[in-house]
Amino acid sequence: WLKGTCSSASVIFSRPADPRRRTLRAAAWEAAMFYVVDMETYLGVKPEYCGPGYLEYIEEALRQKVEGTVCDKGQIVAVGHSQPLDHGKIQEGTGLVLVKIRYWAVVIQNFKNEVVDCEVVEVNSLGFFGELGPVRIFVSKTSMPKGWRYSEDSMHRGGGPAYVSATGTSSIQRETAVRVRLLATKRDADRMLAIGTTDGDYLGPRVLG
């Protein structure tokens, strides 16, 4: 499912559209940019796995170790091709075989002032949270255009609490697709966070075609 143009450092690609499985969340992923990065790490292998099935074991162990973690390149979404760079060395005191692994990881990275599409997953009186793949984005009510207000009126309860425009013609509630501009990004050990705004041209709730 990967496709793109190779360069010496990375690959930018998107998931192919499948109209039979298209959802708001999938559409947001399609609009995102991902990179394939050449990386290295060490794996500790127990001696009992150094026989038949060794390569399959280290491939699975690599995925368990790195997928979902955050590195300086971004958050690792998936591991592609991998290969051991040596036969490994015995680690004193543990008996583990330390093997250096080279692998290609699919990572997602966001940047300040980048414009992205996300799906709203939570709305409260302080603002709303959206998700772009594994990235969680918060938009404060002060970062929305003038006139937008928080509402729990019965006309909006079908989707829970909502933010409604001054004219009442647009709203942001759970599962709404929203285009935001990122004001700041932050990395934790196991996730990426961002703060965004909908105050600007072509930002805010959008209709997916």
Side-chain angles (χ1 to χ4, degrees):
W1 54 276
L2 305 185
K3 64 178 182 179
T5 302
C6 294
S7 68
S8 58
S10 62
V11 176
I12 301 175
F13 69 93
S14 63
R15 292 173 179 263
D18 183 348
R20 297 171 300 175
R21 302 178 60 182
R22 186 177 180 86
T23 64
L24 292 178
R25 189 178 300 249
W29 271 72
E30 289 172 14
M33 294 183 69
F34 299 84
Y35 305 86
V36 174
V37 182
D38 187 357
M39 305 182 72
E40 294 180 358
T41 190
Y42 284 91
L43 287 179
V45 181
K46 294 182 179 180
E48 61 200 79
Y49 296 109
C50 295
Y54 168 73
L55 293 178
E56 290 78 6
Y57 171 80
I58 61 174
E59 287 178 358
E60 180 61 27
L62 177 64
R63 294 190 184 95
Q64 294 292 330
K65 177 182 178 180
V66 303
E67 284 186 354
T69 61
V70 178
C71 62
D72 60 343
K73 303 293 185 181
Q75 184 165 5
I76 299 176
V77 178
V79 173
H81 177 70
S82 63
Q83 63 180 45
L85 295 181
D86 56 34
H87 296 295
K89 299 179 180 179
I90 301 296
Q91 183 180 45
E92 294 184 11
T94 67
L96 296 177
V97 180
L98 287 183
V99 183
K100 190 175 185 180
I101 305 292
R102 181 184 184 186
Y103 65 98
W104 286 262
V106 180
V107 303
I108 182 171
Q109 177 65 286
N110 295 119
F111 304 94
K112 182 178 179 180
N113 290 323
E114 182 180 9
V115 175
V116 299
D117 293 338
C118 64
E119 178 187 357
V120 177
V121 295
E122 181 184 345
V123 178
N124 58 46
S125 60
L126 299 178
F128 68 86
F129 289 92
E131 289 185 350
L132 171 61
V135 182
R136 193 169 178 89
I137 303 169
F138 176 69
V139 177
S140 168
K141 62 181 181 181
T142 60
S143 295
M144 300 180 195
K146 185 177 180 180
W148 283 72
R149 59 183 176 83
Y150 178 72
S151 173
E152 293 184 354
D153 295 342
S154 58
M155 63 180 295
H156 300 294
R157 284 180 182 167
Y163 279 91
V164 185
S165 65
T167 61
T169 57
S170 298
S171 65
I172 296 175
Q173 57 193 47
R174 193 171 183 272
E175 296 187 351
T176 299
V178 180
R179 180 162 291 170
V180 304
R181 180 170 61 85
L182 303 183
L183 301 176
T185 61
K186 178 185 178 182
R187 299 174 190 160
D188 284 346
D190 58 350
R191 62 177 178 172
M192 295 178 62
L193 306 171
I195 297 174
T197 179
T198 58
D199 189 4
D201 294 338
Y202 311 110
L203 303 180
R206 61 186 296 261
V207 177
L208 297 176

